[in-house]
Amino acid sequence: MSDPAAIEPLLPGAQNKHAAEVVVGESVSLPLLAETARIDKHLVETGRVRVSTRTETIDQTLRETLRSDRVGVTRVPINRTLAEGEMPPVVREEDGVTIIPILEEILVVEKRLVLKEEVHVRQAIAVEDVEVPVTLRKQHAEVERVDPEGHASEQINPLSSQEQTS
């Protein structure tokens, strides 16, 4: 058996579409041309910006009051033997002076507690105003709009007018 498609005519430009037979009085419409629309996007550079930073230094003098404590130590000889059963003296404070008793045990035929000396500690406070020069840095950003050829066209100030004045 032979292939029926081999003997049937095909529509020009159409694959595997067989031509229809047109009878007298009938009309057939053949598509010849169809248009289609397509949208493409591409990147267009309209300008550039250049950002540079500038650092300025500010010399200032910082002032502060410093406080220091000085301690003076005086040794006061006592050399008194404590009586039998007498309580040894304890650390005490009199008129802003801290008194620390120093005890020594000595061996005699009998044991006695002798108050050897007292250490008197006085505290003095000194106040001093100092000034220290310091350098502080402050940085600003400058932004320029640059055209595609690299020429600066205008400066852009990102700060509001209130921020610029402070």
Side-chain angles (χ1 to χ4, degrees), residues 37-127:
R38 183 176 84 196
I39 297 176
D40 287 332
K41 297 188 287 186
H42 64 277
L43 186 63
V44 176
E45 183 176 319
T46 59
R48 299 178 185 177
V49 294
R50 178 184 306 144
V51 178
S52 58
T53 59
R54 176 175 47 95
T55 302
E56 65 183 55
T57 59
I58 302 166
D59 292 330
Q60 287 186 341
T61 300
L62 301 180
R63 291 176 175 81
E64 187 58 57
T65 299
L66 302 179
R67 177 186 154 183
S68 62
D69 294 337
R70 291 188 178 84
V71 176
V73 176
T74 306
R75 297 173 92 94
V76 178
I78 302 288
N79 288 324
R80 178 176 70 84
T81 303
L82 298 180
E84 184 90 20
E86 183 182 351
M87 291 297 296
V90 293
V91 176
R92 65 189 188 279
E93 189 168 323
E94 294 177 4
D95 298 326
V97 176
T98 303
I99 300 173
I100 304 167
I102 307 297
L103 300 170
E104 178 184 47
E105 240 177 20
I106 59 170
L107 187 59
V108 186
V109 176
E110 60 186 359
K111 187 165 71 168
R112 295 183 197 162
L113 198 54
V114 176
L115 178 58
K116 220 35 187 166
E117 67 177 334
E118 290 179 337
V119 175
H120 293 211
V121 178
R122 281 185 178 70
Q123 183 175 352
I125 298 173
V127 175

Side-chain angles (χ1 to χ4, degrees), residues 134-152:
V134 296
T135 299
L136 303 177
R137 288 176 278 200
K138 187 177 191 180
Q139 207 169 50
H140 302 281
E142 294 177 4
V143 180
E144 297 177 289
R145 185 170 303 280
V146 180
D147 64 15
E149 289 80 37
H151 300 95

